[in-house]
Amino acid sequence: MPRADSAETGHRWATERAIDLWALFAGDLSGEELQQLEGGLIAVRRDGGRSALISTSNKETIQGGMTDLVVLGRAAPSPYGLFAALEAADLADVRRLGVLGTDPVSLEAGHRAGAGAVVGLAPREPARRRPLLAAQPDVIVEVGQFAGLDHERYSSHRPHRERVLLNPGPAVVSDRIHRAIAGPDLCHREPEYTVIFERLRAKLLRASGAADDWALVLLAGSGTAAMEAMTGAAVRPGRKLLVCRNGVYGERIETIARRLGIETVTVEAPHTEPIDPSAVAAALDADEAIDAVSVIHHETTTGLLNPVHEIADEARQRGVVVQIDAISSLGAEELRLDGTGIDFVACTSNKCLHGLPGASFVLVSPRGQARAAEVPPRSLYFDLPNYLRAQEKGSVPFTPAVPAVYALEAALDELFDEGPEHRRARYRERMAALDLGLARLGLEPIVAAQHRSASVRSLPLPPGLDYQSLHDAVKADGYVIYAGLGQAAAASFRVCALGEVDASALEGFVASLERVLAGTRRSTMPITV
């Protein structure tokens, strides 16, 4: 899967088949099985796909009559016959090739060639399917079920397909990241995992700009897991957490704190306005029991940036620790850590770092580590000091999401190859291009320009158009948007450009949105007689 690099890519993802050529080896299927398969191959042809028979001779007649191509090539498990089929079909991408087989050697040929789909054909009885399992097919179906399988998974009408994700995570990621998760199966108690963890720690500190004395706690879970872990570690018993609340994620921190038995104080602002640092200072001065301040850097409820550095400075002057939710900002927004008063940073792998879901983490300053050591555990799984103690012994307390860890390290390498400042500039540039397109359609984000993030826009729903209708219409063109949240939920929608989505792909989205709006305006025009 390439990156969303153009409007053409978005259109192709939305409309084209996943498998353009199905190949089978002569002699693999019986005559009866071929008759059962014929209807499926006809359906593939009607959908724009083709099929090829690979034979070691040119005498195939019965089998060749129902396929589009008959190709001379070496028998399975050699992959060369499959390459001959690709050449005969003038198909340059082996990932668009599917292999069908009732014999393990045919399926093995598909794997050796790098086919995009390897499908075993066998009756439903486990005794008939077990011999194929060693060849590791993607799926095993009865021969007569192939038509349904192709329609569901591989046809131009399949519902589950790659799309340009314009939601606030997970994000579209590059092939490099998808390949990374195919790393070796790994026991996390072995020294090899410790080596990977230490590499990852160094890379995350570099990506965040934190000094080497900061700690990393890596969790298997979403960003909310990191939020809960840092919240439970930041506030001592009998003290309070000041929550900066101007969106759903500030509300989430408050909910987490209350469920952990932590008393909260709030500083609030409308969902379209940043938190005022002077209000935080006043709240701190008014209540000496406040032990920590929590603020969302990028409040993705509306695409609003909060002034975390100014807020942290007010807390630092008063000796109060600060925790930052940087889940949808790290990698896309400027975030300074050392010497700023920030002590806990929660983040996840699958937003602006361009990894995959499943890994979240907390970065902890030396002062934050000292604070966490003072706080009795409020949770078993989210006990940060327990993770730090295990790390000192070269271990982890619980099973990590190793494939997501593989992907996160690959994503960080990709970030450094690009350059962190270039990544942030690319975010700003493509959102500027999106803003221009939206302005041309008469859509103005609900957050003022000076407070907007580099990745999310919250927009008013146009008159006469509800969110679900808008969502379904642009999804048909290959774009996934997101519903509004919070105070503007009923009247807004969000467009979020995270991950490997280029500005030209956003132009395709704007064109799709324009078609929807034009149709809505025509349908709501008064009829004159």
Side-chain angles (χ1 to χ4, degrees), residues 18-33:
I19 297 298
D20 291 328
L21 180 68
W22 286 104
L24 58 153
F25 288 90
D28 187 8
L29 277 71
S30 69
E32 181 181 353
E33 289 170 329

Side-chain angles (χ1 to χ4, degrees), residues 187-247:
C187 175
H188 60 287
R189 304 296 182 191
E190 294 299 308
E192 291 84 358
Y193 178 76
T194 302
V195 170
I196 293 171
F197 176 84
E198 289 300 327
R199 284 203 312 259
L200 189 63
R201 175 183 174 273
K203 290 173 184 179
L204 281 171
L205 294 184
R206 178 185 170 191
S208 64
D212 192 53
D213 54 0
W214 281 61
L216 167 68
V217 173
L218 188 63
L219 303 165
S222 68
T224 302
M227 293 168 70
E228 184 162 335
M230 75 174 181
T231 300
V235 183
R236 291 169 290 192
R239 308 296 293 275
K240 301 177 183 179
L241 176 67
L242 190 156
V243 178
C244 298
R245 192 177 72 186
N246 60 341

Side-chain angles (χ1 to χ4, degrees), residues 219-226 347-350 357-361 381-382 401:
L219 303 165
S222 68
T224 302
C347 195
T348 186
S349 58
N350 66 306
S360 62
F361 57 91
Y381 189 77
F382 297 127

Side-chain angles (χ1 to χ4, degrees), residues 240-278:
K240 301 177 183 179
L241 176 67
L242 190 156
V243 178
C244 298
R245 192 177 72 186
N246 60 341
V248 167
Y249 296 97
E251 294 169 4
R252 182 173 296 183
I253 285 282
E254 184 180 16
T255 299
I256 288 170
R258 288 179 174 175
R259 293 193 180 186
L260 293 174
I262 300 170
E263 187 176 352
T264 61
V265 176
T266 60
V267 171
E268 299 185 40
H271 285 193
T272 56
E273 296 292 334
I275 297 294
D276 183 354
S278 66

Side-chain angles (χ1 to χ4, degrees), residues 197 201 204-205 208-219 225-235 321-324 330 335 337-347 360-375 382-389 391:
F197 176 84
R201 175 183 174 273
L204 281 171
L205 294 184
S208 64
D212 192 53
D213 54 0
W214 281 61
L216 167 68
V217 173
L218 188 63
L219 303 165
M227 293 168 70
E228 184 162 335
M230 75 174 181
T231 300
V235 183
V321 302
V322 174
Q323 61 175 37
I324 298 296
L330 187 61
L335 180 61
L337 298 182
D338 282 336
T340 62
I342 297 172
D343 298 294
F344 298 88
V345 179
C347 195
S360 62
F361 57 91
V362 183
L363 299 173
V364 192
S365 75
R367 186 172 69 153
Q369 296 166 49
R371 168 58 59 83
E374 297 180 63
V375 178
F382 297 127
D383 179 8
L384 292 191
N386 190 31
Y387 284 83
L388 298 179
R389 288 190 296 270
Q391 289 173 28

Side-chain angles (χ1 to χ4, degrees), residues 21 27 78 105 108 164 180 214 245 294 318 350 396 435 455 461 499:
L21 180 68
S78 166
V105 296
E108 176 63 24
V164 181
W214 281 61
R245 192 177 72 186
S294 179
R318 293 160 175 81
N350 66 306
V396 290
D435 285 341
S455 60
L461 282 166

